[in-house]
Amino acid sequence: RCMCSEKHLQELSDKAYRYALLVVKNRDDALDVMQETMYRYIVKNPEFADEKAESAWIYKVASNLSRNVLMNSWYRKRTDIPDDAWEKIFRKDGTESEREWEDNGILKAVHHLPKKYSDVIYFYYYEGYSADESCAVLGIREGTFYTRLARARRMLRSKLDQSDIEK
């Protein structure tokens, strides 16, 4: 049985929820993924070398569960989160933005990237993972990581340039 503090479990569940919401783009499904992730964490009660390894485990489980949701044919008929809701996704306390990049449209642009590109942006920039750590969570090679990161940056730059032109 897990002997973690309530605050620690809340932090882990917030990470799982934010990541799931980025992937499945639906609050209810993200909550389901978060709950199942935390259930597995509590039941398995895994031991980790450090906090990064623990977070990586949470993200890997949330990623796999999110992929299961996306593969469900019923899910494909659902609608996305409204754009105005994206500002709150990465807020830890629900009121004050932790990063400036939500305000300038980057988060919305990341949301519209294919999953393999949004994942590398999320782990590298938002979570602050190194390339090695990101590769371990995503199960990809370092060269693949850097290629996806470069492509994601290029796509983001293009999307942001387009949105500046349209304004």
Side-chain angles (χ1 to χ4, degrees), residues 114-128:
K115 183 183 179 311
K116 65 183 181 180
Y117 299 118
S118 65
D119 280 352
V120 295
I121 294 289
Y122 179 82
F123 287 114
Y124 192 72
Y125 289 108
Y126 182 73
E127 288 300 327

Side-chain angles (χ1 to χ4, degrees), residues 22 25 106-122 148-149 151-157 159:
L22 181 69
K25 301 171 183 74
I106 294 175
L107 185 60
K108 289 178 188 172
V110 170
H111 159 66
H112 294 303
L113 292 176
K115 183 183 179 311
K116 65 183 181 180
Y117 299 118
S118 65
D119 280 352
V120 295
I121 294 289
Y122 179 82
R148 288 181 184 178
L149 187 61
R151 288 178 183 165
R153 287 176 182 154
R154 214 172 308 127
M155 290 175 184
L156 284 174
R157 196 173 305 120
K159 286 179 185 281

